[in-house]
Amino acid sequence: MTTASHDATLRARTEDLAEALALAGPRLDRATAQRVETAVGGVRRRLELGVDHTVVAFAGGTGSGKSSLFNKISRLSFADVGVKRPTTARVTACSWSDGADSLLDWIGVDRERRITHSEDLEGDGAAGLAGLVLLDLPDHDSVEPAHREVVDRVLPLVDLLVWVVDPQKYADDALHTGYLRAQVGSESSMVLVLNQVDTVPDSQRENLVEDLGRLVTDDGLTGVHVQPASAKTGEGIARVREILEEACARRSVAAGRAAAELDAAAGALLAQTPSDVPWQLDAAVERELEPVVGATGLDAVASQVGAAVRNGYGMPELPAPDRDTIALSRARWLTRAGAALRPGWQRSLAESVAGADRLRTAVSGALKGVDLDVRGPASSRAMRRAAWACAALGLVLGVVGALALTEVLDVPAPWGQVLVGAGALLLVTAVVLTVVRVAMRRRRARRRSAEVARRGRAALRDVLVQHLGEPTQRVLVDHRRVRELARSARDLPSSRPLTGALRLPTAGSPSTDVPEEGDRASASA
């Protein structure tokens, strides 16, 4: 992969993470949001400065000898080495490049605490460290809070972190709990130097290195190289320089450190969006529709409308929705929709959907638009009048015909039979009209009752969709998008070569280092 491709990949991952952070916003816990924001800002700034330099930091506790190691590697006496602790709260830097000032400004190294290494000091030996910016950090376990603050600020900015420990304090909990366990995922950008091995008998050195490796593994770190060394005698110093030279030879170390920062931040973000949420709008609405219908008394009112249409009288009204039932329905909705969400996302969901009172008002308003028409069929009244007329006329004709047949009235005999028959026919017609009218009202009553129930349910469904469903959908869409962006920021295949580990010697392997001439002299002195 070319340099431009490396930078483009890192920029794409950084912008994905920045977009995810902007989208998640206050839904993240403060620590995660700050971690992601720091990673995004740091990688952006580092890309602006370029990744041609390799920033290596010596970090360690009080008395670990990291300043002596810094001086031994740089072959200068620039870092503070003192008997009285702590010595300084400021970072010391030695750069093997004239163009590191902007980078050191960004890291926050004071101008008077910088030195530029000259090739004249080492001859051809300086070429292997070209581009190196070596930092000596304050003691991380200092009694001065300002020292730890400096360490905490600088650590995320370096490309290769060299933890310098000594045989007496290598198992110190402040190191393992406070720092190493937080570096899981950055193993490819970390080395441990076990300094002062000259104080340990030869027979115990291998066991000491193995024990330190075991503790690091217990911290959750895998593949971290442990290098024994002694700044006093020069043992292991050449091997440490080789490690630094290899780091400088690989431009991807700086890019890899940036990639590791993005990986860690994306992992923290994914922990806030651990899985996709199996949720469907239609199914969620259908689950809560019937409880809301019950809270409004819609079915009872629909039945009353049917009865009023059937009987021809009555004027039903919808009661106010039951507040407790509406509140319970909303609570069930939030529980089901937010079951797989982290607390911050659950709070966002609860804030996005309508509150119980607002939901109750919306339900009541929606049902006011449902027509509770109790009028019968348009022809019902005419049929009733016709039935009454037929019945009345039939009775009159029947009576007249009967009187004629009994000769009470002087009417020719055939007409009496005709009048009786006509009256009977009119009475039958009245009965038929009444039966038809009742059937028509019952049929209309059923239709009106069903229509009220249907329209009421449709109105309530719209309320649930608008006030609960759509806000929930927006939150879950954001949740899914944040997850996708975080996975993209962490899992882009093209970024994988940037995070490969340095090809370091195996911990505990035989060392071929011998003290350099200058080192022998200082040791013998």
Side-chain angles (χ1 to χ4, degrees):
M1 183 181 291
T2 64
T3 296
S5 298
H6 279 171
D7 289 354
T9 297
L10 285 174
R11 286 191 175 89
R13 295 177 62 191
T14 304
E15 295 313 310
D16 282 346
L17 202 57
E19 183 181 347
L21 177 62
L23 199 57
R27 298 156 177 165
L28 301 176
D29 64 71
R30 185 175 180 180
T32 300
Q34 187 173 4
R35 182 173 187 178
V36 175
E37 184 177 2
T38 299
V40 168
V43 174
R44 277 176 171 171
R45 181 57 177 154
R46 187 62 198 273
L47 287 172
E48 290 175 4
L49 295 170
V51 289
D52 295 321
H53 291 93
T54 301
V55 181
V56 178
F58 283 175
T62 305
S64 63
K66 56 183 175 53
S67 295
S68 297
L69 187 64
F70 177 94
N71 290 338
K72 187 68 71 171
I73 294 296
S74 64
R75 295 177 180 171
L76 299 169
S77 297
F78 187 60
D80 297 321
V81 181
V83 176
K84 183 179 178 180
R85 303 288 180 177
T87 57
T88 180
R90 296 190 295 173
V91 181
T92 300
C94 179
S95 60
W96 277 255
S97 167
D98 293 328
D101 283 341
S102 297
L103 182 61
L104 291 173
D105 288 341
W106 174 62
I107 294 173
V109 181
D110 295 338
R111 292 275 175 169
E112 65 271 18
R113 302 298 300 178
R114 309 176 188 178
I115 190 169
T116 302
H117 204 283
S118 172
E119 186 174 347
D120 295 338
L121 294 173
E122 299 186 54
D124 295 338
L129 298 178
L132 174 65
V133 176
L134 188 62
L135 306 179
D136 179 28
L137 304 184
D139 302 331
H140 70 77
D141 58 354
S142 170
V143 295
E144 295 290 339
H147 290 204
R148 175 161 183 155
E149 291 174 4
V150 172
V151 174
D152 292 344
R153 177 181 60 80
V154 174
L155 285 186
L157 311 181
V158 305
D159 303 319
L160 181 63
L161 186 56
V162 179
W163 286 103
V164 182
V165 298
D166 62 86
Q168 289 75 35
K169 296 172 62 178
Y170 70 88
D172 187 23
D173 185 66
L175 171 64
H176 293 270
T177 302
Y179 289 97
L180 292 184
R181 292 175 188 174
Q183 298 294 321
V184 173
S186 301
E187 291 92 334
S188 63
S189 302
M190 187 188 310
V191 173
L192 266 75
V193 173
L194 180 59
N195 195 21
Q196 302 176 11
V197 293
D198 57 290
T199 64
V200 180
D202 293 343
S203 60
Q204 296 299 320
R205 292 185 184 182
E206 185 174 350
N207 292 336
L208 199 63
V209 171
E210 290 178 356
D211 190 47
L212 177 55
R214 178 187 58 79
L215 290 175
V216 172
T217 301
D218 291 343
D219 290 331
L221 300 165
T222 58
V224 177
H225 175 66
V226 178
Q227 177 62 50
S230 171
K232 180 178 181 180
T233 66
E235 180 180 352
I237 299 301
R239 184 63 54 85
V240 174
R241 286 177 63 89
E242 288 175 4
I243 293 171
L244 300 186
E245 288 176 359
E246 184 178 353
C248 294
R250 295 182 59 203
R251 181 185 182 277
S252 62
V253 168
R257 177 63 178 178
E261 284 296 312
L262 296 177
D263 283 343
L269 195 55
L270 284 172
Q272 296 292 306
T273 54
S275 60
D276 291 329
V277 179
W279 185 86
Q280 293 182 337
L281 176 60
D282 292 339
V285 169
E286 290 304 319
R287 278 195 298 266
E288 287 307 320
L289 180 59
E290 290 309 315
V292 172
V293 168
T296 63
L298 176 63
D299 289 338
V301 172
S303 297
Q304 293 170 13
V305 169
V309 172
R310 185 171 57 252
N311 299 328
Y313 59 86
M315 187 59 66
E317 293 183 358
L318 281 162
D322 183 70
R323 187 185 187 284
D324 291 340
T325 305
I326 295 294
L328 182 61
S329 180
R330 177 183 180 274
R332 277 196 307 267
W333 178 285
L334 291 175
T335 299
R336 288 169 175 164
L341 299 177
R342 288 291 187 261
W345 288 92
Q346 290 177 345
R347 286 193 299 271
S348 175
L349 178 61
E351 293 167 359
S352 298
V353 303
D357 290 335
R358 181 182 168 194
L359 184 60
R360 181 171 178 260
T361 300
V363 166
S364 181
L367 290 182
K368 287 180 180 178
V370 178
D371 187 7
L372 302 181
D373 183 13
V374 296
R375 292 174 298 175
S379 59
S380 175
R381 186 173 300 177
M383 292 182 68
R384 183 177 61 181
R385 288 195 295 265
W388 279 107
C390 288
L393 183 58
L395 285 173
V396 170
L397 292 178
V399 170
V400 172
L403 293 175
L405 290 175
T406 58
E407 298 181 353
V408 175
L409 295 177
D410 186 16
V411 178
W415 282 105
Q417 294 177 352
V418 171
L419 291 173
V420 170
L425 182 60
L426 286 172
L427 289 174
V428 170
T429 301
V431 171
V432 170
L433 287 174
T434 299
V435 170
V436 171
R437 174 178 169 273
V438 170
M440 289 178 62
R441 292 190 74 91
R442 287 180 176 176
R443 185 167 60 251
R444 183 170 179 81
R446 289 193 297 271
R447 287 202 301 267
R448 286 296 299 137
S449 179
E451 185 177 2
V452 168
R454 178 180 60 79
R455 289 185 176 179
R457 276 176 166 75
L460 294 178
R461 183 180 287 105
D462 290 342
V463 169
L464 291 177
V465 169
Q466 180 180 354
H467 293 274
L468 295 181
E470 291 178 351
T472 298
Q473 201 166 41
R474 286 192 291 269
V475 171
L476 296 183
V477 166
D478 287 351
H479 183 276
R480 187 179 303 111
R481 180 59 178 162
V482 168
R483 179 170 171 78
E484 290 172 353
L485 288 168
R487 292 179 64 182
S488 176
R490 187 185 66 172
D491 290 336
L492 282 178
S494 58
S495 71
R496 287 305 176 201
L498 302 183
T499 58
L502 293 169
R503 296 185 299 276
L504 302 175
T506 305
S509 59
S511 175
T512 58
D513 293 351
V514 294
E516 301 174 15
E517 289 299 328
D519 298 335
R520 289 196 189 98
S522 61
S524 60

